Amino acid sequence: MKVLIAEDTTDLNRVVTVMLQKFGYDVDSVYDGQTALDQLELNGYDAVILDIMMPKMDGITALKNMRSRGINVPVLMLTAKSEVDDRVAGLDAGADDYLPKPFAMKELLARVNAMTRRKTKYSGSLVTYADFSLNTDTLELAAENSVRLSMKECELLHLFALHGGKELTTDYILEHVWRGDDSADESTVYLYAKYLKRKLVGIGSAAGITGERSGAYMLVSK
């Protein structure tokens, strides 16, 4: 597995690089968003770690450029602990996951492992429900229009589609989509369900998601 890390703090970049290499990853490290984008045009990667605040080009802008060019590699955004808006902006731009600073190295490793496992797990699979199709290889959700999902959105919608018309509790969803992630809670599920609701509307699908923050969720055909 090959990983690209873009982080302008030299010491943190070096520590993350060494840690990932120790666990078998082939790592390229850069220090700004523009160089990260250049590397992505030259090489294929299984995962990308992007800091938000970087010189030349920030992480959000680099991510938007990636997605607009059809580069669908899973991306983990590194965000400031107190900046909720940065996390939302990252997810809106197409990030698959985020990790607030400061973080434990073992948690970053777990997030990268999870992203690369999901990429392998869903390769080549096509799921349909009501009038939409979900390609879990390209992460494309399509009905009248199409949109790219993040890896976690894809995994959550895949779970919903497998249980279409049935209520899924928040605990059940956390167990199957965020297994082993102690930082995920009912607010996490609510946020991703909200994004999926909005994207189903955006592609003109007759399917929708019902449910509230503290209850159960269900994929339905309107």
Side-chain angles (χ1 to χ4, degrees), residues 93-130:
D96 298 280
D97 199 0
Y98 63 84
L99 186 60
K101 295 179 179 180
F103 52 81
M105 288 297 158
K106 62 187 293 187
E107 183 174 8
L108 182 141
L109 178 64
R111 301 291 183 94
V112 173
N113 286 342
M115 287 198 307
T116 53
R117 277 201 309 269
R118 286 195 295 272
K119 184 172 184 286
T120 302
K121 176 181 177 181
Y122 289 128
S123 180
S125 178
L126 186 68
V127 179
T128 60
Y129 179 81

Side-chain angles (χ1 to χ4, degrees), residues 16-65:
V16 172
T17 297
V18 170
M19 185 268 296
L20 289 174
Q21 289 173 335
K22 178 181 178 181
F23 285 91
Y25 286 97
D26 182 7
V27 184
D28 287 339
S29 62
V30 298
Y31 300 90
D32 64 82
Q34 182 59 61
T35 307
L37 202 57
D38 294 342
Q39 284 292 110
L40 285 159
E41 292 287 357
L42 294 173
N43 303 300
Y45 294 94
D46 296 290
V48 176
I49 302 170
L50 276 181
D51 186 29
I52 286 185
M53 298 302 294
M54 291 187 292
K56 296 186 181 179
M57 182 184 294
D58 64 85
I60 298 293
T61 303
L63 178 56
K64 288 179 178 178
N65 273 275

